[in-house]
Amino acid sequence: MNESDFKNDPHPVLDGIADPIIVIDRDFNLTYANKTVRGRTAGASPTGQKCYEVLHGRNHPCDPCPCLQTFETNKPYRVIRKTESTEGGSPLLKEFRSYPILDQEGKVIRTIEVIQELSPAEAPPSEENTPARKRKASPADERSFCGMIGGSKKIRALFQMIRLIAPSNATILIYGESGTGKELVAKAIHQSSPRRDRPFIAIDCGALPETLLESELFGHVKGAFTGAIQNKKGLFEEAEGGTLFLDEIADTSLAFQSKLLRVLQEGEARPVGGNRSIKVNVRVVAATNKPLKEAIARKNFREDLYYRLAVMPIVIPPLRERPDDIPLLAEHFIEKYALPNGRGPMHLSGEALSLLMKFHWHGNVRELENVIERGVLVSPGLEILPESFLIDEEIPPPSSPSIPLSISRDEAVLKVEKEQIIDAIKRHKGNKSLAARSLGIARASLYNKLKRYQIESLG
C-alpha cells in the first residue's frame, strides 16, 4: 500500500468494521480514520489531528504506544491496556495492534492501528499495563503466529495479510501445495477475527462422496435417504457465527458446487430432503492445491463459484521458497518430539542442517516434520546426524515460478469492498439508497463503484 492510499480513499470496507481503525504518521497525526473513529468527532474530520487527542483525550502520546514501537522496529506490535472501569467496577481491557505500512525501500512511513475491546479472560495477565520497553518479546514470539513458525520475508508477509483481512467477513480462498499448512492458515484467520469465540469446523471435501458431503454440510431430514433415521444438523448450522473451512474444494462435483454457490449467495442452507432453507451466518474459508483457473477451463469447476470464493485469495509459499525458515521449523519440531519420546535437549549437527537446507521438500513443512521426528527417534545421541534422517541426499530440481504470495494490500481492500457492497445491496433488497447509507457513502459513489466492479442488479 502506498503513502497516499489512506489519504485519498475513504475505503468503505474499513468503515464497515466496528472496531476503531486509524492510520498515523511519525508525528502521531491521523492520515485516515474509519467511520467508528469519525463518529467521535461530531462530524469534523479528524485528519491531521493527533491520535492520542482524538482517541484518548490526552495531550501527550500513550505509554506504551504500539505505533511508536512499530516505527522503531519495523514490526507489528500489540499492547493490552486497562482504559477505564465498567459500571460494575470490572476493568475494561482494550487491545491495541499496530502494523507497518512500508515504502518501496522497506521503510515504515505510516502505521495502521486497530483497537478491540477484550474481556478480562482474553488478556494475558503478564501483558496488562506493562510498558512495551520493559516487556521484551522472546525471539520465538516474533517468529510464530497462531501456531505457524517462520521469520522469512514471505512468511511474515503472509502473517501480515492474515491480520489485515481477518476482521472482515470476506470469503477467502487459500492456495498451497500439499503440506504447506492450509488449515493452519485458516485457523489463524479465524483466531484473528471477531468470530474467534465461535466454532471453527474443518472438512476435507475430497474425502467424502457427493451425497455424504451434502449431508455433512447442509444436514438432512428424517427419511431423506436410506439410513436417515432422524434429522441431522449440517456443518453450516453447527458452525453458526464461526468459520467453516472447506479443504480440497477443487475435488467437488459441479452439482455440489452449484448448491454451495447458492448457500454463499443467499446465506441459506437447505437440508437434504428438506423443503425449507435455514439461515446461516458462517464465514467460509476454502482451500486447494490445484490451479482452479485450469479446472474452470476444463469445465471441472464453476467460474461463478470461483469468483465468489476468491474474494480474498491467499497463496502459501512452499518451503523451498523460504529456506530461511527451515532452521526455525527444525528446532520447533525437535522440541515437539524429543521430550515426549524420552530424549534430552537435542540439536542438529552442522552437516544435518546443511542437508535439510538443500533438500527439495516436495512435501513441504509436513515432510520436514516427519523427517525431524524420524531423526529424533533414530539418533543414538543428542546430536542429530544426517544419517538419522534416512533420506537420500538429492540435488533439488530447478525451482519453478510460483504464484505471487499475495495481491497488493490495496487490491485486497478493493476485493473486500466489493463484497461489502454486494452484501449491503442484498441486505436492503436492492434498495441502493439504503445500501449507500449503510456503507457510509453517497448514492452517486455507490453507482460509480457498481460500474467499476461490474456488479449487476441484485436484490
Side-chain angles (χ1 to χ4, degrees):
M1 177 176 292
N2 61 44
E3 185 175 358
S4 63
D5 285 334
F6 275 102
K7 284 184 177 180
N8 302 324
D9 189 349
H11 284 311
V13 61
L14 299 186
D15 282 345
I17 297 175
D19 298 318
I21 300 177
I22 62 171
V23 177
I24 68 169
D25 61 20
R26 287 183 174 270
D27 295 322
F28 302 99
N29 296 316
L30 288 167
T31 62
Y32 168 79
N34 74 343
K35 188 175 181 179
T36 300
V37 177
R38 296 197 302 272
R40 302 180 180 183
T41 58
S45 173
T47 302
Q49 298 183 47
K50 301 296 184 184
C51 59
Y52 48 81
E53 294 175 350
V54 173
L55 291 174
H56 312 297
R58 296 169 174 261
N59 56 11
H60 56 81
C62 304
D63 184 18
C65 174
C67 291
L68 182 59
Q69 295 297 322
T70 295
F71 277 123
E72 292 178 352
T73 64
N74 282 32
K75 297 177 181 178
Y77 210 79
R78 175 176 178 261
V79 169
I80 294 176
R81 186 186 305 133
K82 293 179 182 178
T83 56
E84 57 184 75
S85 294
T86 61
E87 292 181 1
S90 300
L92 179 62
L93 299 177
K94 289 188 177 182
E95 179 188 56
F96 299 79
R97 289 176 287 128
S98 60
Y99 309 103
I101 298 177
L102 309 177
D103 62 14
Q104 293 182 345
E105 297 178 355
K107 297 179 181 179
V108 182
I109 53 173
R110 298 280 190 275
T111 61
I112 305 175
E113 184 177 59
V114 182
I115 305 170
Q116 288 183 313
E117 289 189 9
L118 302 176
S119 66
E122 291 179 290
S126 60
E127 292 195 28
E128 295 178 16
N129 286 337
T130 305
R133 64 176 64 94
K134 294 181 181 179
R135 185 178 64 250
K136 185 177 180 181
S138 69
D141 292 335
E142 298 175 359
R143 299 175 302 191
S144 64
F145 176 64
C146 295
M148 295 180 287
I149 307 295
S152 65
K153 184 177 180 180
K154 286 192 174 184
I155 204 69
R156 284 188 286 111
L158 175 64
F159 294 168
Q160 189 174 15
M161 181 60 71
I162 291 171
R163 293 186 181 102
L164 176 71
I165 64 176
S168 77
N169 287 316
T171 308
I172 295 172
L173 180 61
I174 302 171
Y175 288 95
E177 296 179 5
S178 178
T180 51
K182 295 184 287 294
E183 185 168 345
L184 276 178
V185 171
K187 286 181 178 178
I189 293 168
H190 174 75
Q191 292 168 8
S192 303
S193 77
R195 297 175 179 265
R196 65 176 71 88
D197 295 325
R198 304 299 299 166
F200 173 89
I201 298 178
I203 182 170
D204 185 346
C205 297
L208 299 174
E210 181 180 331
T211 53
L212 183 55
L213 179 60
E214 289 183 23
S215 175
E216 283 294 308
L217 284 176
F218 309 138
H220 65 250
V221 299
K222 181 180 178 180
F225 50 83
T226 303
I229 59 175
Q230 61 184 9
N231 293 344
K232 176 183 179 297
K233 285 184 177 181
L235 295 186
F236 269 101
E237 198 172 352
E238 295 282 356
E240 178 66 20
T243 303
L244 183 59
F245 175 54
L246 306 178
D247 199 7
E248 305 304 342
I249 191 66
D251 294 338
T252 58
S253 69
L254 290 173
F256 171 80
Q257 291 167 26
S258 178
K259 295 173 183 177
L260 176 60
L261 177 63
R262 179 176 176 81
V263 176
L264 296 178
Q265 289 178 332
E266 306 298 332
E268 297 178 344
R270 177 171 295 184
V272 177
N275 55 17
R276 67 180 186 87
S277 298
I278 301 170
K279 286 285 185 182
V280 293
N281 171 25
V282 175
R283 183 185 201 169
V284 172
V285 178
T288 181
N289 59 6
K290 299 175 181 177
L292 289 186
K293 289 291 185 70
E294 294 182 11
I296 292 170
R298 295 193 303 268
K299 307 296 184 183
N300 292 331
F301 200 85
R302 292 182 62 112
E303 187 173 17
D304 47 4
L305 177 59
Y306 168 78
Y307 286 113
R308 188 70 189 184
L309 290 172
V311 172
M312 183 59 252
I314 291 181
V315 178
I316 307 175
L319 186 56
R320 63 182 174 274
E321 292 185 5
R322 52 185 185 103
D324 291 349
D325 291 333
I326 291 175
L328 300 177
L329 289 163
E331 180 182 356
H332 169 73
F333 293 136
I334 289 172
E335 292 177 358
K336 178 178 178 179
Y337 291 109
L339 187 59
N341 287 287
R343 309 302 303 269
M346 305 183 74
H347 65 276
L348 296 172
S349 69
E351 295 81 3
L353 179 58
S354 177
L355 174 60
L356 296 181
M357 293 294 289
K358 65 182 181 180
F359 198 66
H360 46 70
W361 301 119
H362 291 313
N364 290 290
V365 177
R366 185 187 297 129
E367 183 183 9
L368 174 62
E369 181 174 3
N370 292 340
V371 166
I372 294 297
E373 182 180 12
R374 187 188 309 140
V376 168
L377 297 176
V378 172
S379 178
L382 296 181
E383 184 176 59
I384 302 175
L385 302 175
E387 51 266 29
S388 298
F389 295 141
L390 306 180
I391 58 177
D392 294 327
E393 189 171 344
E394 301 176 14
I395 299 175
S399 56
S400 57
S402 66
I403 307 172
L405 173 64
S406 64
I407 59 177
S408 73
R409 195 177 306 174
D410 202 38
E411 289 178 44
V413 170
L414 293 177
K415 281 181 172 289
V416 180
E417 180 184 65
K418 180 180 179 181
E419 180 76 6
Q420 292 284 92
I421 291 172
I422 292 173
D423 288 343
I425 293 176
K426 287 184 176 179
R427 191 166 61 250
H428 294 288
K429 303 186 185 305
N431 188 315
K432 295 181 177 59
S433 295
L434 292 178
R437 191 177 306 160
S438 69
L439 291 168
I441 61 176
R443 194 166 188 265
S445 295
L446 176 60
Y447 276 105
N448 289 335
K449 290 179 183 294
L450 291 174
K451 183 177 180 180
R452 175 184 185 182
Y453 293 128
Q454 298 180 334
I455 298 174
E456 303 296 334
S457 178
L458 300 168

